[in-house]
Amino acid sequence: MTSTLTRPATAPGTAPAVPRRSPSADPWHWAVTGACLLAVLAAATSLNGVVEPWTWLAPVVGTLVPVLVAMAATRALRLGSIITALVGVLALIGSLTAQFFPRQSILGVVPGPGTSLELQRLLAQAEETVVSQVAPVLPSAGIFLIVCAALGLIAIVVDLFSTTLRMPAASGLALITVMISPAVVKPTGVGMFAFITTVLAFLLLLAVAQWRGNRLASGGARASSGFAGRSAMIGAAALAVAVVLPMFVPGFTSGAFPQGARLNLWGNATGLNPAVTLGNDLRNPTGFGRIAYSTNADTPVYLRAVTLEDFSGRRWEPDERRGEREAGVEEIGTETGAPAAGAGTEQVFTRITTQSYASPWLLSPYAPVGVSNLAGSWAWDPANLSILATDGGSTARQEYLVETRSAALTREGLGAIGPSDSESVPAIFSELPDDTPEIVRTRTDEITGEYVNPYDKAMAIQNYLRGPEFTYSVEAPVEGGYDGSGMDVMARFLDSKSGYCVHYAGTMAVMARAAGIPSRVAVGYTPGSPTGDTEEGPDGTELNEFVVDSRNAHAWPELYFEGIGWVQFEPTPSRGVVPTYAQRAFSPVGPRADDSDALNPGSLPRVGAEAEASAEPSDAAAGGPGAGPQNEASPGAGAAALGGIALLALVPLLLRTARTRSRRRTVAVADVSAVDGAATAAWAETTEIAGDYGHPLDETDTPRTFAARLTREADLAGEPAESLARLRNAYEHEEYAERIPAADGAIPPGRRFGAGGTGGSARLARPSAPRWDDVDTVTRALRRGSPWSTRVKARLFPQSLLNGFRSGSRRG
């Protein structure tokens, strides 16, 4: 009598069906939500440097935790995905209301009367911060409101993709959006710490989400492994993209993303306020915001936009003084304290074409007496002659003519002027705040103590800053953490003796006030480069054309002299043009004469290795319009980058080889000891290799259907087909024979496959241990039957690292 084989009601060759648990019914979503919180916080670390470091942490945590906890609790109550998303949005509104609108709220979390007005005030505050400050901006409620709202929405998206939709990989796009702003704003890019932290948190999120998915699929049983290979593959791909991307995407400048790169997504747009973007402008080697001007001036012309005179804050910014401005710029009077125009003044005409430069502050040589052909509504400030748009307009696409008059200045004339009367100019130009560092006062006394006249003191300060102890560098302040303005920045600059124009100009202005000379800082552009073209100006005058761009952005001090007015100086080495009256054949601060000042600052000698590395060549020395600092990568750096790319490209191959060797060791000892999983290891390697060569395992495949399809598609015959059959037979026995308990009349384990034996019973002896030679035979056959492109892809980019074999699933 033939025995009857009792089998579960599943497809032949498959494991017994396991009931799947509904995603909303499992408690494991709490772990995924926690990983989402860590991932968003990790991405938010890139905000250090956009705002003051770590000031964002407390309000962000206070926003994200209530939002994600509310969504997880809703999910635990099985209220549906739409309700979960809605609860997340409501929780976000509630947490923002509690933090930023407590006085206007109802019960602390519901927006109440007055919320919209307070929201407008905070948004206006944030806009003012963005316009008037350079990164890292000072912490303010408006900035934190925007940061918390944006990160809250991103957290909702990340949680929905990772938990509800079970698509955690897609949530990485939301995390990337967090780093866009730092990549645009910060001179050093996102930063390696933030980048690595975000990558690790994202890989953790992927692993936890996959672990949860496997538990749901297996009904709570032990989840299968395989996270390490997938995570390593994703991490290697991310690093490869991070290294290669800057080489092909316009906008990446020096260095490799995320370290040392600055991404300019919006092309040639300029900042609204040139006073706070100098550092980023100078660090951008490409140049943007091109401006052309033609002038009949005998000496190079500086284009001035604004002045900074209030040194009391942590950030120095221009004062709009809208209530004190005079409307109309066709005729501009003299500024407060300046003498009226006399016979000794020079008349200069300058025609300016702004092109893509956009700012509410009008560029003009000093000192303007009238502007014609200017579109929009503009007003001038009697305190400093700055010109500001009053109707929300800007300088973009303007072409206007400026008439200026200035006195002819000489060393002798300035040297004969005594200290100015304290009532000559407003007090704001002479005041020093209480927090002025002691080093500023003591250093000023050391340099100027033996001089009486303002001119001698000014020259002593200028020559000290242009002396051999100081070097020009746009990177040193970033690396040293004192990039920007403010009294604390000036103190650190005097100690480190390395910086760019903002530091030199600000320090000279502060030291001048400490020496009793009224001062301010002008912000605009150096003369730029001549094009060789000319055009006709008013009254038939000939105007010579020059061009400038962001690389010519500059700051310089202006000091007040009684009876003369405001006089420009140039303390920044290797930048701009030193006026004739400010050049001197001797230095009062050392035995070495400082006779290197010339109209061509490129002729200045560089001092030391640091100056050689950091000094920026002048516009004229660069040899072309808009020329600026050069950042050419050395051959060694290029070779190192190529070597890094090659190493990253080999990561998938190395990971795949390591997995193969591990399985080979498992199979190799099968003949000498009872190794559990040897047949599974051999079959897993076979199916994965087949997938790498274009024959992937389908979800509905059983071992037999897959083997039959592979034999047909790959045209396996003879020894390769026999090897595949042996591997399949061994795997079926190991995977299924011990899983179905023997029932009365059932064939004992080990005798379920094949036919044979006595009495006509359906039975077969246990197959022999698997052999790795069979795996190699099938692999060679697949390789021979594939084109060369498939072979390369299978070796260097194996799909099996992402779609690995799962023991006990329908895929096996």
Side-chain angles (χ1 to χ4, degrees):
M1 181 177 179
T2 303
S3 299
T4 302
L5 180 62
T6 303
R7 308 178 66 86
T10 59
T14 62
V18 178
R20 293 178 179 267
R21 187 181 300 179
S22 170
S24 62
D26 77 287
W28 313 111
H29 65 84
W30 287 93
V32 182
T33 298
C36 293
L37 174 63
L38 293 178
V40 177
L41 288 177
T45 59
S46 62
L47 295 176
N48 286 333
V50 176
V51 296
E52 291 285 344
W54 302 111
T55 54
W56 53 268
L57 182 59
V60 166
V61 171
T63 302
L64 299 187
V65 170
V67 170
L68 293 178
V69 168
M71 294 180 69
T74 305
R75 195 173 286 115
L77 297 175
R78 309 181 190 180
L79 297 181
S81 57
I82 297 179
I83 299 298
T84 299
L86 180 61
V87 167
V89 173
L90 293 177
L92 175 59
I93 295 174
S95 62
L96 294 177
T97 301
Q99 291 188 84
F100 300 102
F101 311 101
R103 296 182 180 179
Q104 295 80 20
S105 67
I106 301 174
L107 301 177
V109 294
V110 179
T115 301
S116 60
L117 293 178
E118 180 66 8
L119 175 62
Q120 294 177 13
R121 187 187 71 81
L122 292 180
L123 292 179
Q125 181 187 82
E127 180 182 4
E128 181 182 356
T129 299
V130 172
V131 170
S132 64
Q133 294 187 22
V134 65
V137 300
L138 299 176
S140 66
I143 288 294
F144 285 155
L145 171 63
I146 293 177
V147 169
C148 291
L151 292 179
L153 291 174
I154 289 173
I156 292 174
V157 172
V158 170
D159 184 72
L160 289 175
F161 272 100
S162 302
T163 308
T164 302
L165 302 178
R166 301 178 67 181
M167 298 170 58
S171 66
L173 297 176
L175 298 178
I176 291 177
T177 61
V178 179
M179 295 186 285
I180 289 178
S181 177
V184 173
V185 174
K186 292 166 61 176
T188 55
V190 172
M192 191 59 69
F193 172 79
F195 180 71
I196 293 178
T197 302
T198 305
V199 169
L200 294 178
F202 179 55
L203 295 179
L204 175 64
L205 174 60
L206 293 179
V208 173
Q210 187 182 22
W211 172 76
R212 173 196 177 227
N214 287 343
R215 295 192 67 91
L216 291 177
S218 59
R222 181 180 64 86
S224 62
S225 60
F227 306 143
R230 293 181 178 85
S231 299
M233 181 64 178
I234 294 172
L239 288 176
V241 170
V243 173
V244 175
L245 189 61
M247 301 180 182
F248 301 100
V249 177
F252 285 97
T253 57
S254 59
F257 180 82
Q259 186 64 39
R262 182 170 184 266
L263 178 61
N264 183 10
L265 294 175
W266 294 279
N268 293 338
T270 62
L272 290 177
N273 193 336
V276 297
T277 58
L278 281 172
N280 288 344
D281 289 345
L282 295 173
R283 280 183 286 266
N284 190 331
T286 60
F288 54 86
R290 187 178 186 272
I291 303 163
Y293 72 91
S294 302
T295 182
N296 66 338
D298 296 330
T299 58
V301 173
Y302 278 61
L303 299 179
R304 191 183 71 157
V306 296
T307 63
L308 314 176
E309 50 263 356
D310 185 358
F311 298 159
S312 60
R314 293 180 61 189
R315 293 286 191 274
W316 300 348
E317 55 192 45
D319 190 346
E320 296 185 2
R321 282 192 286 265
R322 291 182 179 270
E324 304 173 18
R325 290 185 174 271
E326 300 286 343
V329 293
E330 290 78 10
E331 294 185 4
I332 299 176
T334 57
E335 59 191 326
T336 305
T345 60
E346 178 186 10
Q347 183 184 37
V348 174
F349 291 100
T350 304
R351 180 175 289 118
I352 301 174
T353 305
T354 58
Q355 300 183 22
S356 62
Y357 171 78
S359 172
W361 303 93
L362 190 73
L363 288 175
S364 166
Y366 181 77
V369 296
V371 182
S372 58
N373 198 36
L374 184 63
S377 178
W378 301 80
W380 61 279
D381 186 355
N384 56 22
L385 297 186
S386 65
I387 301 174
L388 177 68
T390 58
D391 59 352
S394 76
T395 60
R397 310 301 175 187
Q398 297 266 15
E399 182 177 345
Y400 53 94
L401 181 69
V402 182
E403 180 184 357
T404 58
R405 289 191 180 95
S406 58
L409 303 177
T410 63
R411 302 177 192 170
E412 293 75 17
L414 291 173
I417 298 175
S420 61
D421 187 347
S422 59
E423 302 297 328
S424 298
V425 294
I428 193 173
F429 295 101
S430 301
E431 295 173 343
L432 281 177
D434 296 335
D435 63 346
T436 302
E438 187 62 27
I439 187 176
V440 174
R441 300 182 186 274
T442 56
R443 195 66 52 85
T444 302
D445 290 340
E446 294 172 1
I447 297 169
T448 66
E450 59 181 297
Y451 299 98
V452 177
N453 288 341
Y455 175 73
D456 291 331
K457 293 182 178 182
M459 288 301 302
I461 297 171
Q462 175 182 279
N463 290 341
Y464 168 69
L465 294 174
R466 294 184 67 89
E469 297 181 21
F470 286 83
T471 58
Y472 181 90
S473 173
V474 295
E475 302 297 342
V478 177
E479 298 169 356
Y482 59 93
D483 191 23
S485 59
M487 287 298 177
D488 56 334
V489 172
M490 299 301 104
R492 297 183 65 177
F493 167 70
L494 284 174
D495 184 60
S496 64
K497 296 181 172 61
S498 184
Y500 55 92
C501 56
V502 169
H503 307 93
Y504 286 95
T507 300
M508 182 168 180
V510 172
M511 294 179 74
R513 291 190 184 185
I517 309 173
S519 66
R520 63 193 185 193
V521 174
V523 180
Y525 293 86
T526 57
S529 304
T531 65
D533 296 334
T534 61
E535 60 178 278
E536 184 177 349
D539 302 328
T541 57
E542 184 179 85
L543 307 180
N544 299 311
E545 187 181 59
F546 295 77
V547 293
V548 298
D549 59 31
S550 63
R551 292 168 296 188
N552 300 105
H554 193 51
W556 62 91
E558 293 179 346
L559 277 55
Y560 182 79
F561 289 81
E562 189 75 33
I564 296 295
W566 294 95
V567 177
Q568 169 191 333
F569 285 83
E570 185 53 87
T572 306
S574 76
R575 292 287 294 181
V577 177
V578 180
T580 303
Y581 57 81
Q583 300 176 31
R584 207 172 207 182
F586 67 93
S587 171
V589 294
R592 178 177 178 274
D594 184 12
D595 57 358
S596 58
D597 288 339
L599 291 180
N600 179 9
S603 64
L604 291 172
R606 297 182 180 180
V607 182
E610 183 178 2
E612 184 69 27
S614 62
E616 180 175 319
S618 69
D619 303 318
Q630 304 298 318
N631 288 318
E632 296 182 0
S634 64
L642 291 177
I645 295 173
L647 181 60
L648 289 174
L650 292 177
V651 169
L653 171 63
L654 297 176
L655 293 174
R656 188 66 182 86
T657 302
R659 180 187 294 182
T660 299
R661 289 179 178 176
S662 175
R663 289 169 174 167
R664 183 187 289 115
R665 286 194 296 270
T666 300
V667 176
V669 296
D671 288 332
V672 296
S673 61
V675 177
D676 184 26
T680 299
W683 183 250
E685 183 70 15
T686 303
T687 57
E688 289 184 1
I689 287 292
D692 293 340
Y693 283 95
H695 309 284
L697 203 62
D698 291 337
E699 291 288 344
T700 57
D701 276 339
T702 65
R704 297 197 178 199
T705 58
F706 173 73
R709 180 166 56 83
L710 179 61
T711 301
R712 182 177 63 257
E713 292 179 354
D715 197 19
L716 301 181
E719 185 178 359
E722 295 174 359
S723 294
L724 180 62
R726 284 193 294 268
L727 292 168
R728 185 264 303 164
N729 192 30
Y731 170 68
E732 285 180 329
H733 188 281
E734 182 176 275
E735 183 68 18
Y736 303 126
E738 304 297 333
R739 288 192 175 185
I740 305 175
D744 292 342
I747 298 177
R751 299 183 179 180
R752 299 185 179 176
F753 305 100
T758 59
S761 62
R763 59 186 301 273
L764 182 66
R766 182 184 184 93
S768 60
R771 297 181 304 170
W772 194 260
D773 290 343
D774 289 333
V775 179
D776 289 338
T777 300
V778 176
T779 301
R780 286 192 297 269
L782 292 173
R783 186 179 298 119
R784 285 194 303 267
S786 301
W788 69 269
S789 58
T790 301
R791 299 180 191 179
V792 172
K793 182 179 178 181
R795 295 291 290 170
L796 297 181
F797 307 102
Q799 294 297 311
S800 54
L801 285 179
L802 296 177
N803 302 299
F805 176 83
R806 296 182 184 178
S807 176
S809 70
R810 292 179 62 89
R811 296 187 58 184

